[in-house]
Amino acid sequence: MSEITPEVVEAHGLSCEEYDRVLHALGREPNLVELGIFSVMWSEHCSYKSSRLHLKKLPTEAPWVICGPGENAGVIDIGDGQACIFKMESHNHPSYIEPYQGAATGVGGILRDVFTMGARPVANMNALRFGRPDHPKMKHLVQGVVAGIGGYGNCVGVPTVGGETNFHRAYDGNILVNAMTVGIADTDKIFYSAATGVGNPIVYVGSKTGRDGIHGATMASADFGEDSEEKRPTVQVGDPFTEKLLIEACLELMATDAIVAIQDMGAAGLTSSSVEMATNGETGIRLDMNKVPCREEGMTPYEMMLSESQERMLMVLKPSKEAMAEEIFRKWELDFAVIGEVTDTRHMILEFNGEVVCDIPLDPLAADAPEYDRPYISQDEYKAWAGIKPVSNPPETEDPGADLLKLLASPDLASRSWIAQQYDSQVMADTMQTGGDAAVVRVHGTSKALAISTDCTPRYCYADPYEGGKQAIAEAYRNICAVGGKPLAVTNCLNFANPQRPEIMSQFVHALEGMGNACRVLDFPIVSGNVSLYNESKATGGGSAILPTPAIGGVGVLEDSSLMATMGFKAEGEAIYLIGAETWATPEHMRGHLGQSLWLRELHGREEGNAPPVDLTLEKKAGELVRELIAAGLVSAVHDVSDGGIAVALAEMAMKGGIGADVKPREGYSPARWWFGEDQGRYIITVPDVEALNAQMAKGTEDADTASAGFFRLGTTGGDSLLGVSIAEMKEAHASFFRDWMEG
């Protein structure tokens, strides 16, 4: 009797149609090992079967792009023979089930994606989404995730320099933990994953294989049911100290000429790493499962191939380099084993106890994996489904200062110092700025620095996926410009709910269209990323589908790090200007946009209205102007205007600098629209010498079109208050949320 029953197939996450494809690919019935391998390779997490069709539409090329999507991480040229290598990935489902290890191993996995390409990791970032603070599980989840990120990053010795944290009831049953790593490599020492050279040895290095994480990729490709706690064994366990040893051993071996190909063992472990290496090299692979280092007795080939034990790598070495490589890894107290060889069969063949236990042609596993064109509804149909209409009878503020205090104390805008204090941001001694619009990390030994930002506004994406996708890219661009960096490229982490629902697939498709258009106009290509679908929960008390959350990680370069801009007011008596003010010369719906604003939600309990539109032409002009003014040394502080509008941006600048401001609204605008509207493409700058600024602007009008980005004089720095509220009151409100929540 066959061991492969319909129940076994269903338990492996394969549909009847997909199982028929397995039968056709093999020409026979699979055994359990083969079924398990098809299961993980065809999971949403590994195959991108619902998203590949649309990901192909994204812009991925530019003169400075060395390697775009398809490898472990994206690679861009930053000059002087150096490259920046970076990527963002999700670890959502594991972090909900076991927050500490889920978040920790998310950091470990993304670190491996970067150093496997030859880069030394220099910075970690994250983007976190949690449910309502008063949800019974949420405090535990926040504490565990933050501790996991800090525990792993701090121990491995890579600074965590920034990120974002938001709260919304849609994440009650399915939190998001997106981790990003940035590294530096020499452009002539970049390593890829294509296994070539028939007969070349395949080498396993790092930790031993255990039973943790089996079927992790399959779990991450399905909705949460009410049995989420029972899935705890599918969460991997991380060891940052071993990861540190692995980084150093890999980089030491990479300094030689021994490596042909290298791949980390991430989702689906030994299966995905070996399949991807052989597929990319258009070769075959043979593994002797008896040689795989195991930490538990009696492990089967099925368990070895599907385990997601951490801190492991797979390599193809040049002939006769095994002894040298083994000496390096033994020195770093890591396992090293030659477990197979590259073949010319285009098959994956596994042997165990002298028998062939798996023989699968590679093309059906990877290149010919299922690809679905899921049904989706139009943008107009989506807005009708989501009930999105313009804000009717918008409220007014009677006391902007009082409203500002309430916003500063709200979960989405409150100080994140409780989080930041748990992360070592200064290890490696190259961190120049955290807590600003973008983190800035010096490129060691040079005058250059990297500017890094993570951005997304899910409430905009829900109201209008197309505009929300544009806005996520535009805000990353804006944040990099605000510190003086030239935006170069993007990684993404596309978090959505069940793609088999046409309204969810509509969110995905139209968000990608918006992202793609923004990337083209801003010359800001996407070089790496990750798709995380099925972020829904059927668990009791869960929030069903998450908000569409296409998290963006942007990277830019400051050629001269000494010109880096910061947001805090520097001195009294400086002029305060708003850049991007010409937005208000356009149609009424763009004037002081209150739809989907935090002010409307937090002060009036109304989640309604359209997302603010993004004028990409204005965005580019404003960004170029801000970078020009920073480079010319004409501005003392810069901050982009985002959540909470002008009032919150000014408050953040005042609190950072300990200096207040005397500001007035523009004539003809209601106080609510002026102070709390969330129009896009705007920056606030402070200017010590207005005459010098005017001279530069006059020159710009003659030489270029930057002056058309628009200017408006907001007021002057000075005093100890803003909008009638003292800096001390603002700081107290800002600090209150996390302090009171965690102490309570």
Side-chain angles (χ1 to χ4, degrees):
M1 182 176 175
S2 171
E3 61 180 340
I4 308 301
T5 64
E7 292 76 19
V8 171
V9 172
E10 183 181 5
H12 281 74
L14 294 172
S15 67
C16 295
E17 294 78 9
E18 287 170 343
Y19 185 62
D20 286 341
R21 290 182 63 150
V22 171
L23 296 176
H24 178 74
L26 293 177
R28 57 176 171 79
E29 191 174 81
N31 61 34
L32 193 60
V33 176
E34 293 165 334
L35 182 70
I37 289 170
F38 272 104
S39 164
V40 293
M41 289 306 300
W42 285 6
S43 69
E44 198 75 61
H45 196 73
C46 291
S47 74
Y48 290 48
K49 58 191 175 187
S50 295
S51 57
R52 286 208 313 275
L53 183 70
H54 303 285
L55 294 173
K56 295 171 186 174
K57 304 171 187 175
L58 294 171
T60 61
E61 297 179 349
W64 52 87
V65 174
I66 295 173
C67 178
E71 275 291 339
N72 287 289
V75 186
I76 58 173
D77 193 328
I78 59 170
D80 304 312
Q82 291 182 302
C84 176
I85 300 180
F86 63 101
K87 189 180 182 184
M88 181 189 283
E89 278 207 338
S90 62
H91 229 223
N92 304 333
H93 287 57
S95 298
Y96 183 82
I97 295 167
E98 213 303 301
Y100 184 93
Q101 288 295 349
T105 52
V107 173
I110 197 63
L111 281 164
R112 287 193 298 281
D113 276 336
V114 168
F115 76 73
T116 191
M117 295 195 71
R120 178 170 290 282
V122 297
N124 286 334
M125 298 276 284
N126 54 69
L128 312 176
R129 318 283 169 184
F130 296 104
R132 294 165 296 163
D134 60 358
H135 186 281
K137 285 192 69 167
M138 213 49 58
K139 185 172 171 180
H140 161 72
L141 290 170
V142 171
Q143 290 172 330
V145 165
V146 171
I149 291 170
Y152 204 100
N154 297 352
C155 292
V156 85
V158 176
T160 300
V161 295
E164 55 178 351
T165 304
N166 297 128
F167 297 85
H168 191 278
R169 65 181 182 279
Y171 305 101
D172 281 355
N174 201 128
I175 64 173
L176 302 184
V177 175
N178 297 170
M180 177 179 175
T181 292
V182 179
I184 299 291
D186 292 335
T187 52
D188 60 352
K189 281 287 185 181
I190 296 169
F191 291 82
Y192 298 99
S193 61
T196 57
V198 173
N200 280 346
I202 295 171
V203 173
Y204 171 120
V205 300
S207 291
K208 289 180 167 61
T209 294
R211 291 189 170 98
D212 55 320
I214 293 174
H215 278 302
T218 309
M219 175 196 70
S221 305
D223 297 344
F224 270 149
E226 299 197 16
D227 60 344
S228 62
E229 292 298 323
E230 297 172 17
K231 296 183 177 179
R232 196 175 298 271
T234 63
V235 178
Q236 312 93 322
V237 177
D239 180 354
F241 298 106
T242 298
E243 181 104 338
K244 174 62 174 172
L245 299 177
L246 188 59
I247 291 172
E248 299 305 330
C250 287
L251 292 177
E252 183 175 335
L253 184 60
M254 287 168 170
T256 73
D257 66 345
I259 298 175
V260 174
I262 181 169
Q263 176 82 24
D264 82 298
M265 295 192 213
L270 187 52
T271 291
S272 64
S273 56
S274 55
V275 169
E276 287 167 15
M277 290 176 80
T279 299
N280 291 345
E282 298 183 352
T283 53
I285 195 164
R286 183 193 67 81
L287 301 180
D288 182 347
M289 304 308 293
N290 292 92
K291 294 182 178 177
V292 173
C294 294
R295 68 167 179 258
E296 298 181 47
E297 292 292 325
M299 288 192 69
T300 65
Y302 179 95
E303 292 171 323
M304 294 180 216
M305 293 303 293
L306 270 58
S307 167
E308 293 185 7
S309 294
Q310 297 291 287
E311 293 85 41
R312 302 179 300 158
M313 310 284 279
L314 200 63
M315 298 181 182
V316 176
L317 299 183
K318 292 180 180 178
S320 75
K321 298 292 185 180
E322 299 96 311
M324 177 193 68
E326 181 171 10
E327 184 178 344
I328 290 173
F329 280 89
R330 298 295 183 197
K331 179 185 77 174
W332 289 101
E333 300 180 350
L334 296 166
D335 274 281
F336 178 98
V338 178
I339 65 169
E341 63 183 0
V342 178
T343 69
D344 61 1
T345 63
R346 301 297 295 270
H347 278 233
M348 168 186 269
I349 295 176
L350 308 179
E351 299 173 358
F352 186 62
N353 292 340
E355 296 182 1
V356 173
V357 294
C358 169
D359 185 347
I360 300 177
L362 285 164
D363 284 347
L365 280 179
D368 299 332
E371 179 177 277
Y372 297 129
D373 186 359
R374 303 279 193 197
Y376 60 92
I377 57 180
S378 70
Q379 293 185 66
D380 288 342
E381 291 170 326
Y382 172 79
K383 283 199 167 190
W385 170 82
I388 304 302
K389 300 174 183 176
V391 178
S392 59
N393 302 315
E396 189 46 76
T397 177
E398 297 180 3
D399 185 344
D403 286 3
L404 173 60
L405 287 179
K406 291 176 183 175
L407 277 176
L408 292 176
S410 67
D412 274 9
L413 289 175
S415 168
R416 269 62 180 140
S417 61
W418 179 87
I419 296 174
Q421 287 166 4
Q422 298 184 56
Y423 302 154
D424 186 341
S425 64
Q426 301 304 313
V427 64
M428 300 179 78
D430 282 317
T431 303
M432 298 182 66
Q433 181 175 174
T434 63
D437 287 317
V440 181
V441 177
R442 184 184 297 105
V443 179
H444 195 78
T446 76
S447 62
K448 296 198 298 281
L450 299 175
I452 315 162
S453 180
T454 57
D455 297 285
C456 183
T457 312
R459 63 184 186 277
Y460 294 172
C461 296
Y462 182 80
D464 188 329
Y466 177 77
E467 287 294 337
K470 280 168 61 179
Q471 192 274 341
I473 297 290
E475 187 167 1
Y477 179 92
R478 199 182 314 142
N479 282 331
I480 292 168
C481 290
V483 299
K486 178 177 173 54
L488 290 180
V490 163
T491 184
N492 61 53
C493 199
L494 306 174
N495 307 273
F496 291 82
N498 188 334
Q500 296 175 57
R501 294 168 55 191
E503 61 273 15
I504 301 301
M505 201 63 205
S506 177
Q507 293 174 346
F508 185 85
V509 171
H510 295 128
L512 260 65
E513 287 178 355
M515 289 166 53
N517 284 350
C519 289
R520 290 182 190 94
V521 174
L522 300 175
D523 213 8
F524 202 25
I526 294 174
V527 297
S528 61
N530 168 240
V531 179
S532 175
L533 301 176
Y534 295 96
N535 288 290
E536 295 194 15
S537 173
K538 298 183 179 71
T540 303
S544 189
I546 64 162
L547 300 179
T549 311
I552 300 301
V555 172
V557 170
L558 289 80
E559 291 297 333
D560 183 351
S561 61
S562 69
L563 297 175
M564 175 188 73
T566 57
M567 74 162 67
F569 290 154
K570 304 299 186 299
E572 301 210 1
E574 295 189 345
I576 307 171
Y577 285 93
L578 181 68
I579 292 180
E582 289 217 344
T583 311
W584 297 309
T586 55
E588 181 65 30
H589 72 275
M590 294 181 72
R591 294 167 175 255
H593 192 97
L594 290 176
Q596 299 301 324
S597 67
L598 280 186
W599 178 81
L600 192 63
R601 188 183 85 188
E602 296 295 329
L603 273 295
H604 298 278
R606 294 168 60 176
E607 293 186 55
E608 59 187 69
N610 293 308
V614 179
D615 183 332
L616 293 169
T617 302
L618 174 74
E619 193 76 60
K620 189 169 187 178
K621 288 178 181 177
E624 289 171 346
L625 175 58
V626 166
R627 296 202 306 273
E628 177 187 310
L629 296 178
I630 292 170
L634 294 172
V635 295
S636 55
V638 183
H639 190 18
D640 87 308
V641 180
S642 56
D643 289 349
I646 293 171
V648 168
L650 286 168
E652 290 170 342
M653 298 175 85
M655 289 188 291
K656 195 84 168 177
I659 299 170
D662 180 16
V663 291
K664 291 181 173 60
R666 187 168 181 170
E667 188 175 340
Y669 289 86
S670 76
R673 286 183 178 275
W674 178 260
W675 295 122
F676 303 112
E678 296 183 6
D679 303 68
Q680 298 297 296
R682 301 184 295 169
Y683 303 77
I684 294 173
I685 62 170
T686 54
V687 179
D689 186 339
V690 173
E691 288 187 8
L693 174 73
N694 289 337
Q696 177 73 19
M697 293 302 295
K699 177 177 178 291
T701 302
E702 295 168 6
D703 295 352
D705 196 28
T706 52
S708 66
F711 259 68
F712 177 75
R713 176 74 181 260
L714 280 169
T716 307
T717 60
D720 63 355
S721 66
L722 173 72
L723 299 178
V725 177
S726 72
I727 292 175
E729 289 176 291
M730 288 190 290
K731 287 185 174 180
E732 168 58 26
H734 201 222
S736 61
F737 168 69
F738 272 102
R739 180 194 64 207
D740 296 349
W741 189 31
M742 291 304 166
E743 289 179 0

